Amino acid sequence: MPNYALGLDYGTNSCRSLIIDLENGRELGSTVFPYPSGDHGILTDPNDPNVARQNPQDYLDGCVSIIRGAIVQAHAVDTAFRVEDIVGIGIDTTGSTVIPVDSDGVPVVFQDAFKDNINAHVWLWKDHTSYREAEQITNLAKEVRPEYLAKCGGVYSSEWWWAKILHIRNVDAGVYDAAYSFVEHCDWLPAVLAGNTNPLTLTRSVCSAGHKAMYNAAWGGLPDEEFLGRLDPALPDLRRRLYETADASDTAAGTLSAEWAGKLGLPEGITIAVGAFDCHMGAVGAGVKKGTLVKVLGTSTCDITVADSDVADVPGLCGQVLSSVVPGQVGVEAGQSAVGDLFLWLVHHLVPEGYGADVSEKFAAMEEEMKCQLPGASGLLALDWNNGNRTVLTDVRLSGLMLGQTLHTQAHEIYRAYIEATAYGALTIINRMEEHGIRVDEVVTTGGLSLKNATMMQIYADVLGRPMKVSRSEQTCAMGAAIFGAVASGYASLTKLQKVVVEYTETIYQPDPSNQSVYAQLYELYKTLHDAFGKTGWSGSLDHVMKDLIAIRENQRTS
Amino acid sequence: MPNYALGLDYGTNSCRSLIIDLENGRELGSTVFPYPSGDHGILTDPNDPNVARQNPQDYLDGCVSIIRGAIVQAHAVDTAFRVEDIVGIGIDTTGSTVIPVDSDGVPVVFQDAFKDNINAHVWLWKDHTSYREAEQITNLAKEVRPEYLAKCGGVYSSEWWWAKILHIRNVDAGVYDAAYSFVEHCDWLPAVLAGNTNPLTLTRSVCSAGHKAMYNAAWGGLPDEEFLGRLDPALPDLRRRLYETADASDTAAGTLSAEWAGKLGLPEGITIAVGAFDCHMGAVGAGVKKGTLVKVLGTSTCDITVADSDVADVPGLCGQVLSSVVPGQVGVEAGQSAVGDLFLWLVHHLVPEGYGADVSEKFAAMEEEMKCQLPGASGLLALDWNNGNRTVLTDVRLSGLMLGQTLHTQAHEIYRAYIEATAYGALTIINRMEEHGIRVDEVVTTGGLSLKNATMMQIYADVLGRPMKVSRSEQTCAMGAAIFGAVASGYASLTKLQKVVVEYTETIYQPDPSNQSVYAQLYELYKTLHDAFGKTGWSGSLDHVMKDLIAIRENQRTS
């Protein structure tokens, strides 16, 4: 008898569902719900580009829509499908996406008095209004709790939990006081479905706690009261209204309540797994394991792998949290601030219509042009920092750099240089991991870019010197969530389910040895620029850079 | 009774004439003759992009055409005009543009046996086939005659006299042996008009001799036989078939021969001034004097000023030659390898049609967009080295650099950054001059760019911190040639004629103090990149560069 699992993936602008057959990974149904509020689901402030909020009602409405939609599809695809055979539900969301809630776990914004207050809404991960508070937290931790920073790359971000809460406290006492507690989106939704949103007892995810709230069992959970008190006298008291422990997603957050079973058209009692962040579950859905790095390639990237629980702290990575990806192993997270965004910026602003009438024609024509070019033949070298550098420099105050232009340089050569730059950035992350004992034997990519752009994938293989696989599923996050739903229900182990369910496209991109050796030379030059412009206190010599690039160019053009 | 002078300006693709009224500088006639041979007058080799040759017949045909054309126009403009009132003819050409000639001074290529031999043609200034010979000359001079290099910026160029002659000797013994001597284009044409092309007695210009052939009266004229012999055993003998002395353009090369008077429709006996290079005469036509730097703004720039005869050697300038510009003073030449070319490259390859349908619409729209932007507001900083660096680094093996891009950077901001980069390059030249005692109080620009692009001119004034004037005449080279024609005839002094004839447009661009202070900060960063990438042996720190640019950007966007 077949069994199924249901994964829910809450992204930045929409949420989507996926029903999979646990015997073979077949995808039976998947629907999308674009959040209706604000601008593509995001509430903004015309006077402050840092503001990004959401309406929690969108999450609830979306939940009903995408689950009911997927069920209809599954029945249509397979008449044998029965909702009674769904063993578990897993949920991933963006984060740190913080909801101010009352003592029942109901969002403060659902109260009439706060329904028009943007600060009472959900604070979406990409809200950057809390940058001053993030700096305050970084500075204090550097001084008195360096161990907190060692787990999150050395810099606390304005995108994260404590910075947001502290900012609410600083700018809107009304909301802060009305909030009995705060809950991550990825913890709130499982709690809602399980029918227990009490902030003191709902299950908290170790993924969000560890990566965003400086939670670590080794130091007793959340940051201690003394530390929090030095940030703000109100925080120690809040700490008592948060949580002592956090769990991995192989744990059940509860079972589907009668109320929500009715809304969703599902039987009561289905296991709800503890939630986690989208990329972390996406990595599982793409087959992450020791030695495999999963790169979720989108506008930016999220790079995830896992390591033994005794792995050392790696400087410059975004986070290292036990059980945040695979239970019992350390989830290791890194990221590149701009990949797809970089290519889109180029094609929107600097590619003439000679390449095509629209964005996709231009990309296609440029990829066609660059096929015949050898590595280094353009003489160009770029840094991929147009949106700062997330890993390993963790510095937003960096910018782009392009070097080697002549009076003949063309747009498709610049495009290729940016692809290469993002590959060099990826290699820098991998090298940093390996220097600290985290092996990377192969790289798996997920996301539309990796399915669409074979030229890019081959360049990545040549630069990284490792085979590159592509996830067959375009819903790896929801896939990972579904896997955790099944694991939390006790249906099977994570390892076994990954083996059964995870598939790759046929093409595995293998490094070409001769391209690899040219890229090794180019990477040395990239690393020189990377360190020269990005590493505090660097000093050295750059007079060789342009000459080396010209020599490589001349060599490649005549070869 | 009015008096006139005739100037002839031989450019890379065409030649043009100018008849001026010596009482007031009025331009009575000017016509252009595009060279009919090859590709826009240039004979090329599809297998070697370094080849650039010309057909000397084009010079002769052009001479007749442009002089007769100008005379017709002058009669039409002023019925009082009479060819008998033309007191002198001056001629400028490109250089080092070298003609292999027989013992009568007739181009070897006019012989039937050589008419299809590209090596027997004129070796145009921009022919770069002789790069190995140039290196050989630089290396030998460094070792045994450093004083030769001190007058030409430390590096001998493949564009210059001895490199070309040595290359002919190396690659085409037939042409070398058929050539009794070699003559610069700027010396050959006055000799032709004056009816004496004997290579041993025709007048040679100190401008070409000093700037390109390492001629200096201080060391007895051309390089000595021992030096030449070490380059090639044949050269000492050739030296005896060249010249002992060279003259300034206030000297007469002769008077118009009966034969050419007939061809041209002019009276016999008009004074022909000694020739010189286009930019050098152009500087005179733009009013060069001590304290005034003339920038001939074109695809690249030629920067000319004059200094006292006891001025020290300035490292990195292209040349310092007594009387090469103004007789009795040292002509000081510098240059930037790409200015107009840089902007054209950008607009052709990296500016989308959103700015306009063609090149001029795109330029106009970008200039309009950048008007509202403050210096530094884009956060961009570029090096102007897409075509190498002529002054002060004298290094062709350099390339472009653009830094500070974000995901919002637009094409017009990049255009502005390149304008600024060329201005920083210009300031670097001026600073180098002033550090060695050559004062620059004001800058005069000539060329279409300076007439068309007011935005660029204001940026230059703000960066250079000096008033910028624009030559009213669009024919400053021909104007300078005409002035020398009159001076050589004894009609009036150079200083007096410049006062009467040279005019500027009404707008004088004055530095804006607040922009100037921002540009002073940006220039420090430019200089840091300039030295880091361009100066051998530089070592230092660059980690502040991107952060400083972001700080300036933030400051300028909120101001």
Side-chain angles (χ1 to χ4, degrees):
Chain A
M1 210 176 72
N3 286 286
Y4 307 97
L6 170 61
L8 306 181
D9 168 36
Y10 279 78
T12 299
N13 308 106
S14 62
C15 55
R16 65 182 64 217
S17 57
L18 180 69
I19 296 174
I20 60 164
D21 184 331
L22 292 169
E23 297 306 308
N24 49 31
R26 186 168 57 121
E27 302 183 3
L28 282 85
S30 173
T31 56
V32 179
F33 177 82
Y35 304 138
S37 303
D39 178 15
H40 295 81
I42 304 173
L43 309 173
T44 57
D45 177 346
N47 296 318
D48 184 355
N50 288 321
V51 170
R53 310 285 157 80
Q54 291 195 315
N55 184 349
Q57 190 61 45
D58 289 353
Y59 305 156
L60 302 177
D61 297 343
C63 188
V64 175
S65 166
I66 61 179
I67 291 179
R68 287 192 168 270
I71 292 170
V72 169
Q73 287 183 0
H75 282 303
V77 165
D78 186 349
T79 51
F81 171 78
R82 302 185 321 143
V83 291
E84 288 74 16
D85 299 328
I86 295 177
V87 300
I89 301 174
I91 301 170
D92 71 73
T93 72
T94 66
S96 185
T97 295
V98 181
I99 315 178
V101 296
D102 66 17
S103 57
D104 294 324
V106 176
V108 170
V109 71
F110 288 172
Q111 299 171 28
D112 264 359
F114 289 101
K115 71 179 179 1
D116 297 324
N117 184 337
I118 196 164
N119 296 324
H121 282 72
V122 180
W123 290 57
L124 185 62
W125 67 277
K126 66 194 260 187
D127 188 290
H128 289 111
T129 49
S130 316
Y131 61 91
R132 283 196 200 88
E133 288 80 2
E135 214 178 305
Q136 185 193 346
I137 295 167
T138 300
N139 291 339
L140 180 64
K142 263 189 194 156
E143 195 190 324
V144 301
R145 300 288 186 278
E147 64 274 25
Y148 293 177
L149 294 180
K151 298 289 178 195
C152 64
V155 178
Y156 199 80
S157 164
S158 63
E159 294 183 358
W160 297 351
W161 176 264
W162 290 112
K164 283 174 165 151
I165 291 173
L166 192 51
H167 189 63
I168 295 172
R169 161 94 180 137
N170 286 335
V171 300
D172 200 325
V175 170
Y176 185 84
D177 292 340
Y180 175 79
S181 188
F182 296 87
V183 185
E184 278 281 353
H185 181 191
C186 74
D187 294 334
W188 187 69
L189 212 72
V192 167
L193 297 192
N196 169 28
T197 55
N198 180 336
L200 299 181
T201 57
L202 70 85
T203 317
R204 307 279 185 153
S205 148
V206 76
C207 179
S208 59
H211 282 288
K212 309 300 180 190
M214 302 199 292
Y215 169 96
N216 195 311
W219 55 72
L222 291 171
D224 60 73
E225 293 190 6
E226 188 200 334
F227 177 80
L228 294 174
R230 285 183 65 173
L231 291 175
D232 188 289
L235 292 187
D237 189 53
L238 172 65
R239 187 186 191 278
R240 289 168 223 140
R241 288 174 279 137
L242 294 171
Y243 51 92
E244 291 296 325
T245 57
D247 292 297
S249 298
D250 59 346
T251 314
T255 57
L256 189 62
S257 69
E259 181 195 350
W260 274 88
K263 288 186 187 176
L264 300 171
L266 290 174
E268 194 183 337
I270 299 177
T271 300
I272 315 285
V274 168
F277 290 147
D278 39 13
C279 291
H280 295 68
M281 286 195 166
V284 168
V288 75
K289 61 179 189 294
K290 275 175 60 187
T292 300
L293 176 73
V294 174
K295 286 184 79 74
V296 184
L297 286 177
T299 53
S300 60
T301 77
C302 187
D303 300 7
I304 305 253
T305 190
V306 291
D308 288 331
S309 59
D310 60 351
V311 68
D313 294 336
V314 184
L317 301 193
C318 306
Q320 287 177 249
V321 175
L322 183 65
S323 301
S324 69
V325 177
V326 171
Q329 298 183 326
V330 170
V332 178
E333 183 188 354
Q336 295 181 259
S337 307
V339 177
D341 263 1
L342 194 56
F343 309 152
L344 278 172
W345 160 73
L346 180 76
V347 80
H348 279 134
H349 293 294
L350 295 168
V351 177
E353 275 63 17
Y355 286 94
D358 59 28
V359 165
S360 58
E361 276 186 29
K362 286 178 180 180
F363 273 129
M366 289 198 292
E367 282 151 28
E368 193 56 38
E369 288 276 355
M370 72 174 71
K371 267 189 200 159
C372 328
Q373 277 192 319
L374 289 175
S378 72
L380 295 174
L381 181 63
L383 290 175
D384 49 328
W385 299 351
N386 287 40
N387 199 24
N389 179 293
R390 193 176 296 162
T391 310
V392 298
L393 297 169
T394 60
D395 190 344
V396 295
R397 290 178 83 81
L398 292 173
S399 63
L401 185 151
M402 175 69 67
L403 187 148
Q405 301 93 327
T406 69
L407 295 174
H408 305 284
T409 300
Q410 292 182 278
H412 63 271
E413 297 176 313
I414 290 179
Y415 176 39
R416 184 184 176 119
Y418 278 125
I419 292 177
E420 291 166 345
T422 62
Y424 302 143
L427 181 57
T428 305
I429 291 171
I430 291 174
N431 287 345
R432 176 61 61 91
M433 289 176 172
E434 294 216 320
E435 284 156 19
H436 294 267
I438 303 173
R439 216 178 64 219
V440 178
D441 301 324
E442 63 170 11
V443 178
V444 173
T445 61
T446 79
L449 261 179
S450 49
L451 287 161
K452 277 186 297 194
N453 196 333
T455 314
M456 184 189 81
M457 291 301 294
Q458 186 58 51
I459 290 172
Y460 267 59
D462 293 342
V463 170
L464 302 183
R466 289 164 171 84
M468 300 281 296
K469 292 179 182 169
V470 180
S471 285
R472 184 181 297 278
S473 174
E474 295 194 50
Q475 317 285 356
T476 45
C477 297
M479 174 74 84
I483 290 173
F484 275 113
V487 173
S489 78
Y491 173 83
S493 74
L494 181 66
T495 315
K496 188 187 156 198
L497 275 172
Q498 277 187 310
K499 272 192 194 132
V500 172
V501 160
V502 175
E503 291 185 7
Y504 302 105
T505 59
E506 273 171 35
T507 312
I508 296 176
Y509 298 89
Q510 296 289 352
D512 171 284
S514 74
N515 289 347
Q516 217 184 320
S517 79
V518 177
Y519 277 131
Q521 299 169 52
L522 290 167
Y523 180 70
E524 282 309 306
L525 297 174
Y526 171 88
K527 199 61 180 34
T528 300
L529 295 179
H530 175 281
D531 292 353
F533 286 98
K535 271 173 91 165
T536 306
W538 177 92
S539 111
S541 146
L542 291 170
D543 53 2
H544 63 292
V545 173
M546 290 179 178
K547 290 171 173 58
D548 288 356
L549 279 172
I550 291 172
I552 293 170
R553 180 184 80 196
E554 286 173 349
N555 200 44
Q556 288 294 82
R557 286 193 178 175
T558 54
S559 73
Chain B
M1 212 175 69
N3 285 286
Y4 307 97
L6 171 59
L8 306 181
D9 168 38
Y10 279 77
T12 299
N13 308 106
S14 61
C15 56
R16 64 184 64 219
S17 56
L18 181 68
I19 297 173
I20 59 165
D21 184 330
L22 291 169
E23 297 305 309
N24 49 31
R26 186 169 59 122
E27 301 183 3
L28 282 86
S30 173
T31 56
V32 179
F33 177 83
Y35 305 139
S37 302
D39 177 16
H40 293 83
I42 304 174
L43 309 174
T44 57
D45 177 346
N47 296 318
D48 185 353
N50 288 320
V51 170
R53 310 285 158 81
Q54 293 195 312
N55 183 349
Q57 189 61 44
D58 289 353
Y59 305 155
L60 301 177
D61 296 342
C63 187
V64 175
S65 167
I66 60 178
I67 291 179
R68 287 192 170 270
I71 292 169
V72 170
Q73 286 182 359
H75 282 304
V77 165
D78 186 348
T79 52
F81 170 78
R82 303 185 323 143
V83 291
E84 289 73 17
D85 298 328
I86 295 176
V87 301
I89 300 173
I91 300 169
D92 71 74
T93 73
T94 65
S96 183
T97 295
V98 180
I99 315 177
V101 296
D102 67 16
S103 57
D104 293 325
V106 176
V108 170
V109 71
F110 288 172
Q111 299 171 26
D112 263 358
F114 289 99
K115 72 179 177 2
D116 297 323
N117 184 335
I118 197 164
N119 298 322
H121 283 72
V122 180
W123 290 56
L124 186 62
W125 67 277
K126 67 194 259 185
D127 188 289
H128 288 112
T129 49
S130 316
Y131 60 93
R132 282 196 200 86
E133 288 80 2
E135 215 178 303
Q136 183 193 348
I137 295 167
T138 299
N139 291 339
L140 180 65
K142 263 188 195 158
E143 193 190 324
V144 300
R145 299 286 187 279
E147 65 273 26
Y148 292 177
L149 294 180
K151 299 290 179 195
C152 63
V155 178
Y156 199 80
S157 164
S158 62
E159 295 183 358
W160 298 351
W161 177 263
W162 290 111
K164 283 173 166 153
I165 291 173
L166 192 51
H167 189 64
I168 296 173
R169 162 93 180 140
N170 287 335
V171 300
D172 200 327
V175 170
Y176 186 84
D177 293 340
Y180 175 79
S181 188
F182 296 87
V183 184
E184 278 281 353
H185 182 190
C186 74
D187 294 332
W188 186 68
L189 212 74
V192 167
L193 298 192
N196 169 28
T197 54
N198 181 335
L200 300 179
T201 57
L202 70 84
T203 317
R204 307 279 187 152
S205 148
V206 76
C207 179
S208 58
H211 283 287
K212 309 299 179 188
M214 302 198 293
Y215 169 97
N216 194 311
W219 56 69
L222 291 172
D224 59 74
E225 293 189 7
E226 188 200 334
F227 176 81
L228 294 175
R230 285 184 64 174
L231 292 175
D232 189 289
L235 292 187
D237 188 53
L238 172 66
R239 187 186 191 279
R240 290 169 223 136
R241 289 174 278 133
L242 294 171
Y243 50 92
E244 291 295 325
T245 58
D247 291 296
S249 297
D250 61 344
T251 314
T255 59
L256 188 62
S257 69
E259 181 195 351
W260 274 88
K263 287 184 186 177
L264 300 171
L266 291 175
E268 193 181 338
I270 299 177
T271 299
I272 314 285
V274 168
F277 290 147
D278 40 12
C279 291
H280 295 69
M281 285 194 167
V284 167
V288 74
K289 60 181 190 294
K290 274 175 60 186
T292 300
L293 175 73
V294 175
K295 286 184 80 72
V296 183
L297 287 178
T299 53
S300 60
T301 77
C302 187
D303 300 5
I304 305 251
T305 189
V306 291
D308 289 330
S309 58
D310 59 352
V311 69
D313 294 337
V314 184
L317 301 192
C318 307
Q320 288 177 249
V321 174
L322 184 64
S323 300
S324 69
V325 178
V326 171
Q329 298 183 328
V330 170
V332 178
E333 184 188 354
Q336 295 180 259
S337 308
V339 177
D341 263 0
L342 194 56
F343 309 152
L344 278 172
W345 160 72
L346 180 75
V347 80
H348 279 133
H349 294 292
L350 295 168
V351 178
E353 277 62 16
Y355 286 95
D358 60 28
V359 166
S360 59
E361 275 186 29
K362 287 178 179 179
F363 274 129
M366 289 198 291
E367 283 151 27
E368 193 57 37
E369 288 276 353
M370 74 175 70
K371 267 188 200 160
C372 326
Q373 278 193 317
L374 289 174
S378 73
L380 295 174
L381 181 63
L383 290 175
D384 50 327
W385 299 351
N386 287 41
N387 198 24
N389 179 294
R390 193 176 295 161
T391 310
V392 299
L393 297 170
T394 58
D395 190 345
V396 295
R397 290 178 83 82
L398 294 172
S399 64
L401 184 151
M402 174 69 68
L403 187 149
Q405 300 94 326
T406 69
L407 295 174
H408 305 284
T409 300
Q410 293 182 274
H412 64 270
E413 297 176 311
I414 291 179
Y415 176 39
R416 184 183 176 120
Y418 279 125
I419 292 177
E420 290 166 346
T422 62
Y424 302 143
L427 182 56
T428 305
I429 291 171
I430 291 173
N431 287 345
R432 176 63 60 91
M433 289 176 171
E434 292 215 322
E435 283 155 19
H436 291 81
I438 301 173
R439 216 178 64 223
V440 178
D441 301 326
E442 63 169 12
V443 177
V444 173
T445 61
T446 79
L449 262 179
S450 49
L451 286 161
K452 277 187 296 196
N453 196 331
T455 313
M456 183 189 82
M457 291 301 293
Q458 186 58 51
I459 290 172
Y460 267 59
D462 293 344
V463 170
L464 302 183
R466 289 163 170 85
M468 300 281 295
K469 292 179 182 169
V470 180
S471 287
R472 184 182 295 279
S473 174
E474 295 194 51
Q475 317 284 356
T476 44
C477 297
M479 174 75 82
I483 291 173
F484 275 114
V487 172
S489 79
Y491 173 82
S493 75
L494 180 66
T495 315
K496 189 188 156 196
L497 273 173
Q498 277 187 309
K499 272 193 195 131
V500 172
V501 161
V502 176
E503 288 185 10
Y504 302 104
T505 59
E506 270 169 38
T507 312
I508 296 177
Y509 298 88
Q510 296 289 351
D512 169 284
S514 73
N515 289 346
Q516 216 184 321
S517 79
V518 178
Y519 277 131
Q521 298 169 52
L522 291 167
Y523 179 70
E524 283 308 307
L525 296 174
Y526 171 90
K527 198 61 178 32
T528 300
L529 295 180
H530 175 281
D531 292 355
F533 286 97
K535 271 174 91 166
T536 307
W538 177 92
S539 109
S541 146
L542 290 170
D543 53 1
H544 63 292
V545 173
M546 290 178 178
K547 291 171 173 57
D548 288 355
L549 279 172
I550 291 172
I552 293 170
R553 179 184 79 196
E554 286 173 349
N555 200 45
Q556 288 295 82
R557 285 192 179 176
T558 53
S559 71

